[in-house]
Amino acid sequence: MKFDLVIQGPLNTTSLEKINDISDQFENIIVSHWDCDKIEHKLNLPDNTIIISQPLPDREKTYGVMKDSTFYYSICSTFFGIQSCTSQYTIKMRSDEIYSDFNVLKEKLLEDDERFVFGNIFAKRWSHSPYHIGDHLFAAKTEHLYEGYKFLYDSYTYGKNLMSDSWLIQGFPQNQTAESILAKSFLKAKNIDMKSWRRKETMQKNFDIVDINKLGDYVARWVQGHKTYTSDTNQYRCSVNNLGDF
């Protein structure tokens, strides 16, 4: 089965300097970033790397999304990257992180490829916040990710859908996180009846989770908390490690 990788966010040597090491795990690696980004030295990237550059979006012109949140930036860079994906499946990763072995993530998705499979970094239990998935690293069918991200991009860029789909409004209700909005956009892309979204069974049928400690050598980050997690010195520990925990 063919997978593409979207690396989204500002250019970062954490991922760029490791692309050659992971390139054989993907058909294409799409680096989606802002045209104002700078890298101090030239990188020799593999032939299957595609660079997508776009202007940094103006968050002040958005609708329904917090102006001081990076959520809209993430939506834009991911959506523009997905548009260049040609494989049946896509894995999305942040540019300031890196993982060396994506096999566990791929295998988990292929057990049931109608699901959205995410890394457990910052995932929360349903009882704490429904649909609070991990949004740093995830995999799904490319078509589902494209439809979900297009819906989010159109909603926040042009103000579409906000009246009919109030769950899109970030921070309303209070527990409506960026992670839960992303999860619900996946359900929306699959045309899952909204009346069933409140049921845990809907989450269990459409999502799954992997422990990032099973993905080889890695660097993962909590930017707001000024913390870096690595596979060898400061491993990420989470109470949510599988679907049962979630």
Side-chain angles (χ1 to χ4, degrees):
M1 295 295 181
K2 294 182 178 181
F3 283 78
D4 286 344
L5 174 67
V6 171
I7 301 175
Q8 61 83 207
L11 292 178
N12 192 302
T13 54
T14 299
S15 55
L16 289 176
E17 291 181 347
K18 296 293 185 180
I19 286 183
N20 280 287
D21 296 340
I22 63 174
S23 63
D24 61 349
Q25 299 182 55
F26 300 98
E27 290 298 308
N28 301 292
I29 296 179
I30 297 95
V31 178
S32 180
H33 76 104
W34 315 123
D35 56 16
C36 57
D37 295 337
K38 304 293 182 184
I39 290 292
E40 297 301 323
H41 58 281
K42 185 176 181 180
L43 295 164
N44 294 316
L45 300 176
D47 292 340
N48 64 336
T49 305
I50 301 170
I51 307 295
I52 305 295
S53 303
Q54 57 270 335
L56 186 69
D58 186 351
R59 290 181 294 186
E60 292 302 316
K61 296 181 179 179
T62 58
Y63 302 84
V65 66
M66 292 180 179
K67 309 298 185 184
D68 59 350
S69 168
T70 60
F71 185 39
Y72 184 67
Y73 289 160
S74 175
I75 290 169
C76 293
S77 58
T78 304
F79 178 53
F80 295 143
I82 291 172
Q83 291 182 64
S84 293
C85 292
T86 57
S87 294
Q88 184 176 2
Y89 305 106
T90 293
I91 293 176
K92 175 266 181 188
M93 182 182 80
R94 283 171 34 143
S95 59
D96 60 349
E97 300 187 347
I98 190 64
Y99 303 86
S100 66
D101 186 352
F102 292 87
N103 284 326
V104 170
L105 185 61
K106 292 178 179 179
E107 290 167 1
K108 179 61 71 173
L109 176 60
L110 294 176
E111 290 176 6
D112 179 354
D113 68 3
E114 285 297 315
R115 293 175 301 172
F116 180 111
V117 180
F118 56 92
N120 67 333
I121 184 167
F122 306 130
K124 306 295 183 184
R125 295 180 185 273
W126 179 276
S127 58
H128 180 275
S129 179
Y131 290 109
H132 195 298
I133 62 173
D135 63 351
H136 285 219
L137 175 75
F138 53 78
K141 278 186 175 179
T142 302
E143 62 180 303
H144 294 331
L145 291 179
Y146 174 83
E147 291 299 330
Y149 269 92
K150 184 178 187 304
F151 182 78
L152 294 176
Y153 179 79
D154 287 346
S155 299
Y156 296 136
T157 304
Y158 307 114
K160 296 181 178 181
N161 312 308
L162 296 179
M163 295 296 291
S164 58
D165 293 288
S166 59
W167 57 267
L168 279 164
I169 301 175
Q170 194 177 6
F172 176 81
Q174 189 173 0
N175 65 348
Q176 193 73 288
T177 64
E179 292 86 355
S180 65
I181 291 171
L182 175 59
K184 291 172 183 177
S185 76
F186 181 74
L187 299 178
K188 183 80 172 182
K190 291 182 61 183
N191 295 313
I192 304 297
D193 187 351
M194 289 183 65
K195 294 179 181 178
S196 73
W197 290 10
R198 293 179 178 271
R199 299 200 294 265
K200 289 183 182 179
E201 292 79 4
T202 300
M203 176 272 291
Q204 293 168 331
K205 183 177 180 180
N206 290 281
F207 297 88
D208 211 335
I209 188 170
V210 297
D211 182 354
I212 66 169
N213 290 293
K214 296 180 179 180
L215 302 178
D217 296 333
Y218 68 84
V219 175
R221 288 197 166 91
W222 178 22
V223 174
Q224 291 180 328
H226 306 287
K227 288 187 178 182
T228 297
Y229 304 96
T230 66
S231 50
D232 54 358
T233 60
N234 183 33
Q235 292 188 0
Y236 178 71
R237 299 302 182 190
C238 182
S239 62
V240 181
N241 297 305
N242 54 57
L243 187 60
D245 294 338
F246 184 57

